[in-house]
Amino acid sequence: MTVYTTTASPLGELMLVGELRPAGVALTALSIAGGKGAGAQSDWVEDQAPFVSVLDQLDGYFAGQRTRFELDYAVGGSEFRRRVWQALDDIPYGRTVTYGDIAARVGAPRAAMRAVGAAIGANPVLIVRPCHRVIGANGRLTGYAGGIDRKRQLLELEHAG
């Protein structure tokens, strides 16, 4: 069963979506209101209870007390996307890397840079899978499903550089 909840955050309202499992909820999406992927589907059940741990971890992150998330994910994607997403998970808190760095980490040739960017852009769990830590080769902030201003907010929260 798909469950969801919303919560206030310094970035605006967040929507969390997950699949109920015997051990709890497996997060399938985390989006920001007004951004890509926001909005509940008619067959989803609204229920905050399964997300208590996720919400606590997000609160800790926004308070500057948590630098890593410990969550169960249930996101699909091709094997290539999963490799790219794993590379995102490996970016340390407070650090930024370039799209080229991610491509090198997953063994993608320079010609596959668009595919790497598309995989990063398809990340369904914003904030907790830190695609906001990926910047352009020139140091500029580029593409973020939650918007560049929110990407900047997250990097400032982490004192990233």
Side-chain angles (χ1 to χ4, degrees):
M1 172 184 355
T2 301
V3 292
Y4 77 97
T5 192
T6 58
T7 189
S9 83
L11 303 177
E13 185 176 72
L14 302 179
M15 174 177 269
L16 293 80
V17 181
E19 290 296 324
L20 283 181
R21 294 185 171 170
V25 70
L27 196 63
T28 58
L30 194 163
S31 58
I32 302 169
K36 182 175 89 174
Q41 294 183 16
S42 62
D43 60 336
W44 294 355
V45 175
E46 186 170 9
D47 187 357
Q48 189 175 45
F51 296 99
V52 169
S53 175
V54 180
L55 294 170
D56 286 345
Q57 290 183 52
L58 284 166
D59 287 345
Y61 172 78
F62 286 121
Q65 300 166 343
R66 176 174 284 280
T67 61
R68 194 155 184 83
F69 293 93
E70 297 170 18
L71 303 171
D72 185 18
Y73 298 111
V75 293
S78 68
E79 200 258 307
F80 177 77
R81 281 188 176 180
R82 288 192 306 272
R83 284 195 346 251
V84 170
W85 295 341
Q86 181 58 56
L88 296 177
D89 287 337
D90 293 340
I91 304 170
Y93 179 91
R95 300 278 173 91
T96 57
V97 301
T98 66
Y99 289 89
D101 294 332
I102 296 295
R105 289 180 187 187
V106 301
R110 192 126 184 90
M113 196 62 70
R114 283 186 188 268
V116 170
I120 292 169
N123 171 25
V125 286
L126 300 181
I127 305 166
V128 298
R129 175 165 287 139
C131 57
H132 60 274
R133 297 178 188 155
V134 182
I135 61 174
N138 59 4
R140 286 205 168 128
L141 301 186
T142 59
Y144 185 63
I148 297 296
D149 288 339
R150 290 180 176 129
K151 182 173 188 165
R152 182 176 293 110
Q153 280 180 271
L154 290 167
L155 293 174
E156 287 173 357
L157 170 75
E158 296 183 10
H159 308 288

